[in-house]
Short mmCIF file of all heavy atoms in Angstrom, two decimals:
data_model
loop_
_atom_site.label_atom_id
_atom_site.label_comp_id
_atom_site.label_asym_id
_atom_site.label_seq_id
_atom_site.Cartn_x
_atom_site.Cartn_y
_atom_site.Cartn_z
N ALA A 7 -83.94 -27.20 -16.19
CA ALA A 7 -82.65 -26.96 -16.83
C ALA A 7 -82.53 -27.61 -18.20
O ALA A 7 -81.71 -27.22 -19.00
CB ALA A 7 -81.54 -27.48 -15.93
N TYR A 8 -83.38 -28.58 -18.51
CA TYR A 8 -83.22 -29.28 -19.77
C TYR A 8 -84.50 -30.00 -20.15
O TYR A 8 -84.68 -31.17 -19.83
CB TYR A 8 -82.07 -30.28 -19.68
CG TYR A 8 -81.54 -30.71 -21.01
CD1 TYR A 8 -80.57 -29.94 -21.66
CD2 TYR A 8 -82.00 -31.83 -21.64
CE1 TYR A 8 -80.08 -30.33 -22.88
CE2 TYR A 8 -81.52 -32.21 -22.87
CZ TYR A 8 -80.55 -31.46 -23.48
OH TYR A 8 -80.05 -31.84 -24.69
N SER A 9 -85.42 -29.33 -20.77
CA SER A 9 -86.68 -29.97 -21.15
C SER A 9 -86.74 -30.17 -22.65
O SER A 9 -86.08 -29.50 -23.42
CB SER A 9 -87.86 -29.13 -20.68
OG SER A 9 -87.82 -27.88 -21.32
N GLY A 10 -87.53 -31.12 -23.08
CA GLY A 10 -87.79 -31.32 -24.48
C GLY A 10 -86.83 -32.22 -25.21
O GLY A 10 -86.92 -32.39 -26.41
N ILE A 11 -85.90 -32.86 -24.52
CA ILE A 11 -84.88 -33.67 -25.20
C ILE A 11 -85.49 -34.91 -25.87
O ILE A 11 -84.92 -35.45 -26.81
CB ILE A 11 -83.76 -34.09 -24.23
CG1 ILE A 11 -82.57 -34.66 -25.01
CG2 ILE A 11 -84.24 -35.09 -23.21
CD1 ILE A 11 -81.37 -34.90 -24.16
N LEU A 12 -86.65 -35.36 -25.43
CA LEU A 12 -87.17 -36.62 -25.92
C LEU A 12 -87.98 -36.51 -27.19
O LEU A 12 -88.39 -37.51 -27.75
CB LEU A 12 -88.02 -37.30 -24.83
CG LEU A 12 -87.22 -37.66 -23.59
CD1 LEU A 12 -88.13 -38.29 -22.57
CD2 LEU A 12 -86.09 -38.57 -23.93
N LYS A 13 -88.23 -35.32 -27.67
CA LYS A 13 -88.98 -35.16 -28.91
C LYS A 13 -88.03 -35.29 -30.07
O LYS A 13 -86.87 -34.89 -29.99
CB LYS A 13 -89.69 -33.82 -28.93
CG LYS A 13 -90.76 -33.72 -27.86
CD LYS A 13 -91.42 -32.40 -27.89
CE LYS A 13 -92.45 -32.36 -26.76
NZ LYS A 13 -93.07 -31.06 -26.66
N GLU A 14 -88.50 -35.84 -31.18
CA GLU A 14 -87.66 -35.94 -32.36
C GLU A 14 -87.51 -34.55 -32.93
O GLU A 14 -88.45 -33.97 -33.46
CB GLU A 14 -88.28 -36.88 -33.38
CG GLU A 14 -87.40 -37.09 -34.57
CD GLU A 14 -87.94 -38.10 -35.53
OE1 GLU A 14 -88.98 -38.68 -35.26
OE2 GLU A 14 -87.31 -38.28 -36.57
N LYS A 15 -86.33 -33.98 -32.78
CA LYS A 15 -86.09 -32.61 -33.21
C LYS A 15 -84.62 -32.31 -33.21
O LYS A 15 -83.82 -33.06 -32.70
CB LYS A 15 -86.81 -31.63 -32.28
CG LYS A 15 -86.25 -31.60 -30.87
CD LYS A 15 -87.05 -30.67 -30.01
CE LYS A 15 -86.35 -30.43 -28.70
NZ LYS A 15 -85.53 -29.26 -28.71
N THR A 16 -84.27 -31.19 -33.77
CA THR A 16 -82.89 -30.72 -33.69
C THR A 16 -82.70 -30.06 -32.35
O THR A 16 -83.53 -29.30 -31.89
CB THR A 16 -82.59 -29.74 -34.83
OG1 THR A 16 -82.83 -30.38 -36.05
CG2 THR A 16 -81.17 -29.23 -34.77
N ASP A 17 -81.57 -30.32 -31.72
CA ASP A 17 -81.32 -29.77 -30.39
C ASP A 17 -79.90 -29.24 -30.35
O ASP A 17 -78.96 -30.01 -30.40
CB ASP A 17 -81.51 -30.87 -29.34
CG ASP A 17 -81.40 -30.33 -27.93
OD1 ASP A 17 -80.85 -29.24 -27.73
OD2 ASP A 17 -81.85 -31.02 -27.03
N ASN A 18 -79.76 -27.94 -30.26
CA ASN A 18 -78.44 -27.35 -30.24
C ASN A 18 -78.07 -26.79 -28.88
O ASN A 18 -77.02 -26.20 -28.73
CB ASN A 18 -78.35 -26.22 -31.29
CG ASN A 18 -78.47 -26.79 -32.68
OD1 ASN A 18 -77.90 -27.83 -32.97
ND2 ASN A 18 -79.24 -26.14 -33.53
N MET A 19 -78.93 -26.96 -27.86
CA MET A 19 -78.68 -26.38 -26.55
C MET A 19 -77.32 -26.81 -25.99
O MET A 19 -76.56 -26.02 -25.49
CB MET A 19 -79.79 -26.74 -25.59
CG MET A 19 -79.59 -26.11 -24.19
SD MET A 19 -80.87 -26.59 -23.04
CE MET A 19 -82.16 -25.45 -23.51
#
Side-chain angles (χ1 to χ4, degrees):
Y8 199 86
S9 62
I11 193 172
L12 296 179
K13 295 179 181 176
E14 184 175 358
K15 66 183 191 94
T16 300
D17 186 342
N18 294 319
M19 182 181 279

